[in-house]
Amino acid sequence: QVQLVESGGGLVQAGGSLRLSCAASGRTFSSSPMGWFRQTPGKEREFVAAIWWNTQSPYYADSVKDRFSISRDNAKNTGYLQMNRLKPEDTAVYYCAVRSTGCFGYGCYDRSGYDYWGQGTQVTVSS
């Protein structure tokens, strides 16, 4: 089993940056794909980014490409989402998630494939 706790959210002006952290406990984190999703009221939780191994190229939603960067430090059991040049449209609750099985390509985008979820952290981007 894996437990996840997000942190690092907050209020930031458009154009600013935030780094979200996802502290994981439990086994198999180092061999488990992890992803970041976000959700706003009235909308479904949407894919943001995902990564498996440190040497694997990460996947990003088109809306955050060239602005966000996902990474993980398996020695610390922690994942990260660096968010730069934030826009008001990025305002959402951000969740980290972990799969119990591997994924490749677009298969890593599917939120239904993730088995463990954190409680989320609020990111608010003002104009």
Side-chain angles (χ1 to χ4, degrees):
Q1 296 182 357
V2 178
Q3 295 81 44
L4 306 172
V5 179
E6 303 96 334
S7 62
L11 175 64
V12 64
Q13 291 186 341
S17 300
L18 285 174
R19 187 181 73 166
L20 306 183
S21 297
C22 178
S25 61
R27 61 185 181 274
T28 71
F29 177 77
S30 63
S31 59
S32 301
M34 64 161 286
W36 288 91
F37 295 77
R38 65 187 183 186
Q39 187 170 26
T40 57
K43 298 182 66 176
E44 293 185 344
R45 195 167 299 182
E46 67 176 356
F47 171 80
V48 175
I51 192 171
W52 194 3
W53 296 102
N54 290 335
T55 56
Q56 183 186 33
S57 297
Y59 307 108
Y60 297 100
D62 289 342
S63 59
V64 305
K65 284 182 178 179
D66 301 319
R67 297 191 298 119
F68 290 10
S69 179
I70 186 173
S71 62
R72 63 193 297 171
D73 187 336
N74 292 328
K76 298 180 179 180
N77 280 341
T78 302
Y80 304 95
L81 183 68
Q82 178 67 45
M83 305 184 295
N84 299 319
R85 303 193 303 280
L86 283 161
K87 304 175 181 179
E89 307 93 269
D90 296 318
T91 295
V93 177
Y94 283 72
Y95 300 87
C96 64
V98 170
R99 293 175 57 102
S100 59
T101 57
C103 61
F104 298 93
Y106 293 109
C108 299
Y109 289 43
D110 185 4
R111 63 184 182 275
S112 67
Y114 288 80
D115 303 292
Y116 305 99
W117 295 83
Q119 296 302 305
T121 184
Q122 177 71 47
V123 172
T124 302
V125 184
S126 64
S127 301

